[in-house]
Each structure stands twice: as structure tokens, then as C-alpha cells.
Amino acid sequence: MLSARSLFQEIVDNDDSFQLFCSIAAGGETQGGWENARIAALVPDSMRHLAPKITRHGADEDKHGRIFHALLRKRGLSAVAVPPETDYTMLLERRGIGLAHARLRAEERLTEDDIVVYLAHSRVTEQRAADQMDMLVRHFGDHPLVGKAIRVISHDEDGHLAYCHEELLRLAREGRGRTIQRVLRESALAEIAVYRDVSLAVMAHMGRLLHWPAPKSAAIAAGIRGTYAYERFAGWHRMISLSPPERRNALGGAPTPVPEFA
């Protein structure tokens, strides 16, 4: 019987598939670290109070990238090139979601609207990350190889999501509610399509590495498309709601060091 647990177990147990999984994850996290660092450097003067939290967000993402590289080293593996069709961040940018990398590479200050776009885009993508890590913690939180890493990352992702809720609610109270809802909706609808495409691409690569029979690959692809159909019909709404988080000021302190992974 196919399940998220059985599929991930297969991926973890095989060196080639585990190598690709960690390489994709590390690449995305490292990219997120760079993006947040650039946003923190370019945040407008009127929002400089957010710079330490954005910096903390980026430091967490960098830490996650190091964790995935450390997991590879523990298996005697090195990172491999990430196939372009599995690059979640790049594909989102191509759809015009979030802040363009060309803008972040420049030295011009961002605008307040840019920060609203950044936070709304992050609220959507951090929801995805938090949900994925929550699922992995449920199934693999006690795994001897990846359990501790998954728990650390999951805790951080929950904090990132809480931070996005808190800051967007504050901006909504300042009169930016309509803009926030528009950007959230655009981001969510684009994200669920990109997530479908990336999931299909990743599972196709895994299928080749693990020699899955055609019926198994077809069933997995059908499940991914079914999830997208549900999200496109109704599920995306939960990605744009805003509510006061239980964890307040989640990114208000220094990053939690994990030297055993670094």
C-alpha cells in the first residue's frame, strides 16, 4: 500500500534517492537564506525594525541547508546538481511570485509594498514547509538518521509561519489588508501549481532511481494531481487565512545553534 511513510522510507533507505532528496532540500534552504539576507539588507528605513527578524529567518534557512549537507556527509555522500524542474524557488520566481532575484541583487532599497509581497509570499511557502515537516515528524521524528534534523527544522518552520502571520496582521491593521489578501491569493494559486509540478518531477526522478514499476509511478502521479485538484478547488484557502499565532515574536531572538549538524 502506498503511503507518504512508505515512500519516504524507500527514499531514505537508498543512497541515490537520499542523495537527490537532500540535495534538492539543501539547495532550496540555502537559496532561501540568501534571499532573506538580501531582503534584510535592502529593507526600507521605515521598516528597519523588521531587519533583525528577516535576518534571523535567513540564518535559520542557512542552518537548514547545512543540516541537509551534514546528513549527506553522515552517509558518505556529497550533494548533486538539482534538476531545474525540481527547483521550487526558481519556478515560483518564473511565475512572478515573490521578489525577483534581479531586484535583490541590486543595491536599491526595497519599498514597503515589496516587504508586504515578501511577507505574503513567505506566509504561503512557509505553510507548505511547515505542513511537510509536520508530516515528516509524525512518521520519522524518531528515525535514527533523520529524526533529530527533521524535528529541528520543523520547529523553525513553525516559527517562520508564526512570524509571517504576526507581521501581516500588524500590516493589515495599518490599512494594507486589501493588498495583503490580493498578494496572498495570487501567491497561493501559483504555489499549488508549482508544488504539483515539482512533486511530479521529484517523484519521476525517484522512480527512475528506485526502479519503480510503471503502475506504481502512475499511482503516485495520480495522487499528486488529485491533491492539486483539491487544493485548486478549496484547499488553497487555508494558505491565505491569517490568525494570531500561539508563538509570539517567534523570530525575536538569536538562531538556535545546532553545532552537531554544522
Side-chain angles (χ1 to χ4, degrees):
M1 178 179 176
L2 287 177
S3 67
R5 181 183 178 88
S6 65
L7 290 175
F8 190 67
Q9 188 67 63
E10 281 191 74
I11 291 169
V12 170
D13 288 346
N14 179 277
D15 280 351
D16 291 336
S17 56
F18 184 72
Q19 184 179 41
L20 179 59
F21 168 80
C22 287
S23 298
I24 292 171
E29 298 286 358
T30 301
Q31 185 65 58
W34 177 84
E35 290 173 358
N36 279 278
R38 291 303 300 155
I39 292 167
L42 300 173
V43 71
D45 290 337
S46 58
M47 291 183 164
R48 290 306 298 173
H49 62 284
L50 284 177
K53 294 182 179 181
I54 300 171
T55 299
R56 163 71 187 276
H57 190 177
D60 283 348
E61 302 286 5
D62 280 336
K63 178 181 71 178
H64 300 167
R66 294 195 304 272
I67 287 173
F68 283 112
H69 282 294
L71 291 175
L72 286 170
R73 289 196 300 272
K74 286 182 180 180
R75 290 270 287 263
L77 303 170
S78 57
V80 295
V82 175
E85 64 273 18
T86 69
D87 192 330
Y88 175 81
T89 302
M90 179 188 70
L91 293 174
L92 281 173
E93 182 182 1
R94 284 182 179 174
R95 284 179 174 258
I97 301 303
L99 299 179
H101 286 182
R103 182 76 188 279
L104 297 182
R105 292 188 185 99
E107 294 302 323
E108 182 182 353
R109 287 283 182 188
L110 299 173
T111 66
E112 291 187 358
D113 284 345
D114 288 332
I115 300 303
V116 171
V117 168
Y118 150 71
L119 286 168
H121 166 254
S122 295
R123 185 265 176 270
V124 170
T125 56
E126 293 297 339
Q127 182 72 62
R128 181 72 71 187
D131 288 348
Q132 287 183 315
M133 296 312 301
D134 182 62
M135 180 271 292
L136 290 176
V137 167
R138 287 199 311 273
H139 295 310
F140 292 93
D142 59 354
H143 190 280
L145 174 63
V146 301
K148 187 172 185 178
I150 287 171
R151 294 194 305 272
V152 168
I153 295 172
S154 180
H155 179 269
D156 288 347
E157 300 296 4
D158 287 344
H160 300 167
L161 185 58
Y163 145 75
C164 292
H165 276 267
E166 190 171 46
E167 296 302 333
L168 286 169
L169 285 169
R170 181 181 58 78
L171 289 168
R173 289 192 296 270
E174 294 176 359
R176 299 178 180 272
R178 287 189 177 181
T179 299
I180 289 169
Q181 283 301 312
R182 174 182 58 79
V183 178
L184 283 172
R185 185 180 188 278
E186 292 172 356
S187 297
L189 291 174
E191 192 280 340
I192 61 173
V194 168
Y195 181 70
R196 173 203 59 198
D197 294 344
V198 169
S199 297
L200 288 169
V202 170
M203 288 298 105
H205 281 282
M206 294 302 176
R208 287 190 287 273
L209 292 172
L210 295 168
H211 307 291
W212 285 339
K216 180 173 181 176
S217 293
I220 292 169
I224 292 169
R225 292 190 177 96
T227 297
Y228 169 75
Y230 163 73
E231 290 189 336
R232 184 63 183 83
F233 176 70
W236 63 274
H237 290 284
R238 71 182 293 272
M239 304 178 80
I240 67 170
S241 63
L242 294 174
S243 57
E246 292 183 10
R247 289 172 62 181
R248 301 300 177 92
N249 197 30
L251 298 189
T256 303
V258 272
E260 65 270 32
F261 288 122

